[in-house]
Coordinates of all heavy atoms in Angstrom, one line a residue:
P1293 N 19.4 7.9 6.5 CA 19.7 8.8 5.4 C 20.8 8.2 4.5 O 20.9 8.6 3.3 CB 20.2 10.1 6.1 CG 19.6 10.1 7.4 CD 19.5 8.6 7.8
K1294 N 21.6 7.3 5.0 CA 22.6 6.7 4.2 C 22.2 5.4 3.5 O 23.0 4.8 2.8 CB 23.9 6.4 5.1 CG 24.5 7.7 5.7 CD 25.7 7.4 6.6 CE 26.2 8.6 7.2 NZ 27.4 8.3 8.0
A1295 N 21.0 5.0 3.7 CA 20.5 3.8 3.1 C 20.4 3.9 1.6 O 20.4 5.0 1.0 CB 19.1 3.4 3.6
W1296 N 20.4 2.7 0.9 CA 20.4 2.7 -0.6 C 19.3 3.5 -1.2 O 19.4 4.0 -2.3 CB 20.4 1.2 -1.0 CG 19.1 0.5 -0.7 CD1 18.8 -0.1 0.5 CD2 17.9 0.5 -1.4 NE1 17.5 -0.6 0.5 CE2 16.9 -0.3 -0.7 CE3 17.5 1.0 -2.7 CZ2 15.6 -0.5 -1.2 CZ3 16.2 0.7 -3.2 CH2 15.3 0.0 -2.4
D1297 N 18.2 3.6 -0.5 CA 17.0 4.3 -1.1 C 16.9 5.7 -0.5 O 15.8 6.2 -0.5 CB 15.7 3.4 -0.8 CG 15.5 3.1 0.6 OD1 16.3 3.6 1.5 OD2 14.6 2.4 0.9
G1298 N 18.0 6.3 -0.1 CA 17.9 7.7 0.4 C 17.2 7.9 1.7 O 16.6 9.0 1.9
G1299 N 17.1 6.9 2.5 CA 16.5 7.0 3.8 C 15.1 6.3 3.9 O 14.6 6.1 4.9
M1300 N 14.6 6.0 2.7 CA 13.3 5.3 2.7 C 13.5 3.8 2.8 O 13.2 3.1 1.8 CB 12.5 5.7 1.5 CG 12.3 7.2 1.4 SD 11.6 7.8 -0.2 CE 11.6 9.6 0.0
T1301 N 14.0 3.3 3.9 CA 14.5 2.0 4.1 C 13.3 1.0 3.8 O 12.2 1.1 4.4 CB 15.1 1.8 5.5 OG1 16.1 2.8 5.7 CG2 15.7 0.4 5.6
N1302 N 13.6 0.0 3.0 CA 12.6 -1.1 2.6 C 11.3 -0.5 2.1 O 10.3 -1.1 2.2 CB 12.3 -1.9 3.9 CG 13.5 -2.7 4.3 OD1 14.3 -3.2 3.4 ND2 13.7 -2.9 5.6
G1303 N 11.4 0.7 1.5 CA 10.3 1.2 0.8 C 9.4 2.1 1.7 O 8.3 2.5 1.3
W1304 N 9.8 2.4 3.0 CA 8.9 3.1 3.9 C 9.0 4.6 3.5 O 10.1 5.2 3.3 CB 9.3 2.9 5.3 CG 8.8 1.6 5.8 CD1 9.4 0.4 5.8 CD2 7.5 1.3 6.3 NE1 8.6 -0.6 6.3 CE2 7.4 0.0 6.6 CE3 6.3 2.2 6.5 CZ2 6.2 -0.6 7.1 CZ3 5.2 1.6 7.0 CH2 5.1 0.2 7.3
V1305 N 7.9 5.3 3.6 CA 7.8 6.7 3.2 C 6.9 7.4 4.3 O 6.0 6.8 4.8 CB 7.1 6.9 1.8 CG1 7.1 8.3 1.4 CG2 7.8 6.0 0.8
H1306 N 7.3 8.6 4.6 CA 6.4 9.4 5.5 C 5.2 9.9 4.7 O 5.2 10.4 3.6 CB 7.2 10.7 6.0 CG 8.3 10.4 6.8 ND1 8.2 9.6 8.0 CD2 9.6 10.7 6.8 CE1 9.4 9.5 8.6 NE2 10.3 10.2 7.8
A1307 N 4.0 9.6 5.3 CA 2.8 10.0 4.7 C 2.6 11.5 4.9 O 3.2 12.2 5.7 CB 1.6 9.3 5.4
K1308 N 1.6 12.1 4.2 CA 1.3 13.5 4.3 C 0.7 13.8 5.7 O 1.0 14.8 6.3 CB 0.3 13.9 3.3 CG 0.8 14.0 1.9 CD -0.2 14.4 0.9 CE 0.4 14.4 -0.6 NZ -0.7 14.8 -1.6
D1309 N 0.0 12.8 6.3 CA -0.4 12.9 7.7 C 0.8 12.6 8.5 O 1.4 11.5 8.5 CB -1.5 11.8 7.9 CG -2.1 11.9 9.3 OD1 -1.4 12.4 10.2 OD2 -3.2 11.4 9.5
P1310 N 1.2 13.5 9.3 CA 2.5 13.4 10.1 C 2.5 12.2 11.1 O 3.5 11.9 11.6 CB 2.7 14.7 10.8 CG 1.3 15.3 10.9 CD 0.6 14.8 9.6
E1311 N 1.3 11.6 11.4 CA 1.2 10.6 12.3 C 1.4 9.2 11.7 O 1.4 8.2 12.4 CB -0.2 10.6 13.0 CG -0.4 11.8 13.8 CD 0.6 11.9 15.0 OE1 0.9 10.9 15.6 OE2 1.1 13.1 15.2
W1312 N 1.6 9.1 10.4 CA 1.7 7.8 9.7 C 2.8 7.7 8.7 O 3.3 8.7 8.1 CB 0.3 7.6 8.9 CG -0.8 7.4 9.8 CD1 -1.6 8.4 10.3 CD2 -1.3 6.2 10.4 NE1 -2.6 7.9 11.2 CE2 -2.4 6.5 11.2 CE3 -0.9 4.9 10.3 CZ2 -3.1 5.5 11.9 CZ3 -1.6 3.9 11.0 CH2 -2.7 4.2 11.8
D1313 N 3.3 6.5 8.5 CA 4.2 6.1 7.5 C 3.6 5.0 6.6 O 2.7 4.3 7.1 CB 5.5 5.6 8.0 CG 6.3 6.6 8.9 OD1 6.2 7.8 8.5 OD2 7.0 6.2 9.8
W1314 N 4.0 5.0 5.3 CA 3.5 3.9 4.5 C 4.6 3.3 3.7 O 5.7 3.8 3.5 CB 2.4 4.4 3.5 CG 2.7 5.4 2.6 CD1 2.7 6.8 2.8 CD2 3.2 5.3 1.2 NE1 3.1 7.5 1.6 CE2 3.4 6.6 0.7 CE3 3.4 4.2 0.4 CZ2 3.8 6.8 -0.7 CZ3 3.9 4.3 -0.9 CH2 4.1 5.6 -1.4
R1315 N 4.4 2.1 3.3 CA 5.4 1.3 2.6 C 5.1 1.1 1.1 O 4.0 0.6 0.8 CB 5.6 -0.1 3.2 CG 6.8 -0.8 2.7 CD 6.9 -2.2 3.4 NE 8.1 -2.9 2.8 CZ 8.3 -4.2 3.1 NH1 7.5 -4.9 3.9 NH2 9.4 -4.8 2.6
G1316 N 6.0 1.4 0.2 CA 5.8 1.2 -1.2 C 6.3 -0.1 -1.6 O 6.1 -1.1 -1.0
T1317 N 7.0 -0.1 -2.8 CA 7.6 -1.4 -3.4 C 6.5 -2.4 -3.6 O 6.7 -3.6 -3.6 CB 8.7 -2.0 -2.5 OG1 8.1 -2.5 -1.3 CG2 9.8 -1.0 -2.2
T1318 N 5.3 -1.9 -4.0 CA 4.1 -2.7 -4.2 C 4.4 -3.7 -5.3 O 5.0 -3.4 -6.3 CB 2.9 -1.9 -4.5 OG1 2.7 -0.9 -3.4 CG2 1.7 -2.7 -4.6
S1319 N 3.9 -4.9 -5.2 CA 4.2 -6.0 -6.1 C 3.0 -6.5 -6.9 O 1.9 -6.1 -6.6 CB 5.0 -7.1 -5.5 OG 4.1 -7.9 -4.7
S1320 N 3.3 -7.4 -7.8 CA 2.2 -8.0 -8.6 C 1.3 -8.9 -7.7 O 0.0 -8.9 -8.0 CB 2.8 -8.8 -9.7 OG 3.7 -9.8 -9.2
D1321 N 1.8 -9.6 -6.7 CA 0.9 -10.5 -6.0 C -0.1 -9.6 -5.1 O -1.2 -10.0 -4.9 CB 1.7 -11.4 -5.1 CG 2.7 -10.8 -4.2 OD1 3.0 -9.6 -4.4 OD2 3.1 -11.5 -3.2
Q1322 N 0.4 -8.5 -4.6 CA -0.6 -7.6 -4.0 C -1.6 -7.0 -4.9 O -2.7 -6.7 -4.5 CB 0.2 -6.5 -3.3 CG 1.0 -6.9 -2.0 CD 2.5 -6.6 -2.1 OE1 2.8 -5.5 -2.6 NE2 3.3 -7.6 -1.8
T1323 N -1.2 -6.8 -6.1 CA -2.1 -6.3 -7.1 C -3.2 -7.3 -7.4 O -4.4 -7.0 -7.5 CB -1.4 -5.9 -8.5 OG1 -0.3 -5.1 -8.2 CG2 -2.3 -5.2 -9.4
V1324 N -2.8 -8.6 -7.5 CA -3.8 -9.7 -7.6 C -4.8 -9.6 -6.4 O -6.0 -9.7 -6.6 CB -3.1 -11.0 -7.6 CG1 -4.1 -12.2 -7.4 CG2 -2.4 -11.2 -8.9
G1325 N -4.2 -9.4 -5.2 CA -5.1 -9.3 -4.0 C -6.1 -8.2 -4.1 O -7.3 -8.3 -3.8
Q1326 N -5.6 -7.0 -4.6 CA -6.6 -5.9 -4.8 C -7.6 -6.2 -5.8 O -8.8 -6.0 -5.6 CB -5.8 -4.6 -5.2 CG -5.0 -3.9 -4.1 CD -5.9 -3.2 -3.1 OE1 -7.1 -3.2 -3.2 NE2 -5.3 -2.6 -2.1
V1327 N -7.3 -6.7 -6.9 CA -8.2 -7.0 -8.0 C -9.2 -8.1 -7.5 O -10.4 -8.0 -7.8 CB -7.5 -7.4 -9.3 CG1 -8.5 -7.8 -10.3 CG2 -6.7 -6.2 -9.8
F1328 N -8.7 -9.1 -6.8 CA -9.6 -10.2 -6.3 C -10.7 -9.6 -5.4 O -11.9 -9.9 -5.5 CB -8.7 -11.2 -5.5 CG -9.5 -12.4 -5.1 CD1 -10.2 -13.2 -5.9 CD2 -9.4 -12.8 -3.7 CE1 -10.8 -14.4 -5.5 CE2 -10.1 -13.9 -3.3 CZ -10.8 -14.7 -4.2
T1329 N -10.3 -8.7 -4.5 CA -11.2 -8.0 -3.6 C -12.1 -7.1 -4.4 O -13.4 -7.1 -4.2 CB -10.5 -7.2 -2.6 OG1 -9.9 -8.1 -1.6 CG2 -11.4 -6.2 -1.8
L1330 N -11.6 -6.2 -5.2 CA -12.4 -5.2 -5.8 C -13.4 -5.7 -6.8 O -14.6 -5.3 -6.8 CB -11.5 -4.2 -6.6 CG -10.5 -3.4 -5.7 CD1 -9.6 -2.5 -6.5 CD2 -11.3 -2.5 -4.6
T1331 N -13.1 -6.8 -7.5 CA -14.0 -7.4 -8.4 C -15.2 -8.1 -7.7 O -16.3 -8.0 -8.1 CB -13.3 -8.4 -9.4 OG1 -12.6 -9.3 -8.7 CG2 -12.4 -7.6 -10.3
L1332 N -14.8 -8.8 -6.7 CA -15.9 -9.5 -5.9 C -16.8 -8.6 -5.1 O -18.0 -8.8 -5.0 CB -15.3 -10.6 -5.1 CG -14.9 -11.9 -5.9 CD1 -14.0 -12.8 -5.1 CD2 -16.1 -12.6 -6.4
M1333 N -16.2 -7.5 -4.6 CA -17.0 -6.5 -3.9 C -17.9 -5.8 -4.9 O -19.1 -5.5 -4.6 CB -16.1 -5.5 -3.2 CG -15.3 -6.0 -2.0 SD -16.4 -6.5 -0.6 CE -16.6 -4.9 0.1
A1334 N -17.4 -5.6 -6.1 CA -18.2 -4.9 -7.1 C -19.3 -5.8 -7.6 O -20.4 -5.4 -7.9 CB -17.3 -4.5 -8.3
E1335 N -19.0 -7.1 -7.7 CA -20.0 -8.1 -8.2 C -21.1 -8.4 -7.1 O -22.3 -8.5 -7.4 CB -19.3 -9.4 -8.6 CG -20.3 -10.4 -9.1 CD -19.6 -11.6 -9.6 OE1 -18.5 -11.5 -10.1 OE2 -20.2 -12.7 -9.6
L1336 N -20.7 -8.6 -5.8 CA -21.6 -9.1 -4.9 C -22.2 -8.1 -3.9 O -23.1 -8.4 -3.2 CB -20.9 -10.2 -4.0 CG -20.4 -11.4 -4.8 CD1 -19.7 -12.4 -3.9 CD2 -21.6 -12.1 -5.6
M1337 N -21.6 -6.9 -3.9 CA -22.2 -5.8 -3.1 C -23.0 -4.8 -3.9 O -23.0 -4.9 -5.2 CB -21.1 -5.1 -2.3 CG -20.4 -6.0 -1.3 SD -21.4 -6.7 0.0 CE -21.7 -5.3 1.0
D1338 N -23.6 -3.9 -3.3 CA -24.4 -2.9 -4.1 C -24.2 -1.5 -3.4 O -23.5 -1.4 -2.4 CB -25.9 -3.3 -4.0 CG -26.6 -2.8 -5.2 OD1 -26.2 -1.9 -5.9 OD2 -27.7 -3.4 -5.5
G1339 N -24.8 -0.5 -4.0 CA -24.8 0.8 -3.5 C -23.4 1.4 -3.5 O -22.6 1.2 -4.4
D1340 N -23.1 2.2 -2.4 CA -21.9 2.9 -2.3 C -20.6 2.0 -2.3 O -19.6 2.4 -2.9 CB -21.9 3.7 -1.0 CG -20.7 4.6 -0.8 OD1 -20.4 5.4 -1.7 OD2 -20.0 4.4 0.2

């Protein structure tokens, strides 16, 4: 609770599902990773 980010140390946040935590502070290199995946999945896969 005394950490610089109000308890969410290193970007960790409690998820709505009480069994899980997730980490924010998402960066540009991870965005590149998402776009690399999503575009090639969209191009080379089909259906759902």
Side-chain angles (χ1 to χ4, degrees):
K1294 297 181 181 179
W1296 64 271
D1297 55 5
M1300 300 169 185
T1301 306
N1302 294 322
W1304 282 95
V1305 186
H1306 293 305
K1308 292 181 180 179
D1309 183 336
E1311 295 299 318
W1312 292 89
D1313 296 328
W1314 61 273
R1315 188 180 178 190
T1317 68
T1318 304
S1319 73
S1320 53
D1321 56 343
Q1322 288 124 43
T1323 308
V1324 167
Q1326 283 287 358
V1327 174
F1328 186 56
T1329 285
L1330 297 176
T1331 54
L1332 283 165
M1333 291 292 280
E1335 179 175 331
L1336 298 179
M1337 297 300 287
D1338 209 337
D1340 181 59

